């Protein structure tokens, strides 16, 4: 079986990916506003949105993600996994990154108010692949919903991986037509990335649906974890994904 590797010349960088996708006219409106982590950027986005997410540019498989909320003008609330702390201002937070020498390795992104299943946020992983042939088209080969653990904001730490249609039903926000729309957006995003990276053959997109049923591209993963597909009752997705990886 072909190993899941990132093609040479392609960066696993959230900022680079964001800049590529936002140049697509139909995709720009699907991207939460994202900026490099700088003092001015963080302050401006907290003032504009009140809640933001700070992420490592290189991914790190969902680790080191901070959810930051502005509590008026006097303090900010910071959540890392299920740990919550409060700081006086953004200077304290930026000093933390500076001490770790990572201040240039993060992005700050508008936080989405994701739809919820039993008071827990969820997003959708949509797997998009194409065959080795240069003329091959992108296809959706699988999907599932990731429901966050109690007390967590991030869905990478999840206790529940469930079919997307079940999650949409439990969240009371839509059905198959909403999933089809999300799949179309993922295909457009894959096509855009594929134009930039001709050797790219798979992307696992994290798609968010907010409480107003708007669909957002949170990010695309070039080396997605396939293990959750093995635990779905519908085993045809996993078989299809493996077929595309080999062909």
């Amino acid at each position: 079986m072909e190993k899941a590797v990132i093609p040479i010349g392609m960066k696993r960088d959230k900022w680079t990916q964001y800049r590529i996708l936002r140049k697509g006219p139909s995709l720009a409106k699907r991207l939460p506003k994202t900026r490099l982590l700088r003092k001015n950027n963080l302050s401006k986005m907290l003032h504009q949105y009140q809640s933001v997410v700070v992420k490592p540019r290189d991914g790190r498989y969902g680790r080191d993600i901070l959810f930051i909320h502005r509590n008026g003008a006097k303090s900010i609330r910071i959540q890392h996994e299920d740990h919550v702390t409060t700081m006086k201002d953004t200077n304290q937070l930026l000093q933390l990154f500076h001490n770790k020498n990572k201040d240039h390795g993060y992005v700050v992104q508008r936080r989405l108010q994701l739809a919820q299943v039993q008071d827990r946020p969820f997003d959708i992983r949509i797997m998009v692949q194409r065959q080795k042939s240069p003329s091959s088209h992108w296809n959706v080969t699988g999907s599932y919903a990731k429901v966050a653990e109690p007390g967590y904001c991030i869905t990478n730490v999840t206790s529940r991986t469930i079919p997307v249609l079940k999650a949409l039903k439990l969240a009371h926000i839509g059905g198959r037509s909403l999933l089809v729309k999300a799949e179309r957006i993922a295909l457009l995003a894959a096509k855009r990335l594929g134009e930039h990276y001709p050797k790219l053959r798979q992307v696992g997109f994290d798609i968010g649906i907010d409480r107003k049923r708007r669909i957002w591209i949170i990010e695309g993963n070039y080396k997605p974890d396939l293990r959750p597909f093995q635990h779905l009752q519908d085993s045809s997705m996993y078989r299809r994904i493996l077929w595309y990886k080999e062909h």
Side-chain angles (χ1 to χ4, degrees), residues 57-230:
R57 287 178 62 169
D58 61 3
R60 298 184 202 167
Y61 305 100
R63 295 189 294 270
D64 293 338
I65 295 178
L66 300 180
F67 291 82
I68 305 171
H69 180 81
R70 177 172 56 84
N71 294 324
K74 295 185 178 180
S75 68
I76 55 175
R77 178 182 184 272
I78 303 163
Q79 180 165 349
H80 174 247
E81 296 183 350
D82 60 343
H83 305 291
V84 178
T85 187
T86 300
M87 291 186 177
K88 292 181 180 179
D89 52 38
T90 56
N91 289 330
Q92 277 188 290
L93 179 61
L94 288 168
Q95 186 63 43
L96 174 65
F97 288 107
H98 180 73
N99 291 341
K100 293 182 178 181
N101 197 29
K102 295 177 181 178
D103 54 323
H104 294 292
Y106 285 76
V107 296
V108 55
Q109 185 178 79
R110 172 188 176 184
R111 181 181 177 183
L112 302 175
Q113 297 303 312
L114 294 174
Q116 297 184 340
V117 171
Q118 297 174 343
D119 298 321
R120 290 186 270 170
F122 77 93
D123 60 25
I124 301 169
R125 168 60 56 88
I126 296 181
M127 189 73 177
V128 185
Q129 295 172 278
R130 61 179 173 179
Q131 297 181 50
K132 295 177 183 178
S133 169
S135 60
S136 63
H137 298 288
W138 289 96
N139 290 287
V140 173
T141 53
S143 63
Y144 61 85
K146 298 176 291 177
V147 185
E149 285 268 16
Y152 285 78
C153 297
I154 188 170
T155 60
N156 296 63
V157 181
T158 178
S159 60
R160 298 182 64 189
T161 299
I162 61 177
V164 176
L165 291 179
K166 182 177 181 180
L168 295 178
K169 181 179 180 180
L170 291 171
H172 306 291
I173 59 167
R176 185 170 297 278
S177 62
L178 192 60
L179 172 58
V180 170
K181 187 175 181 181
E183 289 177 341
R184 288 174 181 166
I185 292 169
L187 286 169
L188 286 173
K191 183 177 179 181
R192 173 68 186 156
L193 292 172
E195 291 168 353
H196 200 82
Y197 301 120
K199 293 185 178 181
L200 179 65
R201 293 187 50 232
Q202 66 172 14
V203 188
F205 285 101
D206 289 333
I207 301 293
I209 301 177
D210 68 21
R211 297 171 192 178
K212 295 183 179 180
R213 304 183 183 182
R214 292 175 296 196
I215 299 172
W216 301 87
I217 302 169
I218 299 174
E219 63 188 47
N221 300 274
Y222 302 137
K223 192 178 178 181
D225 185 2
L226 303 182
R227 289 173 295 180
F229 287 102
Q230 294 179 274

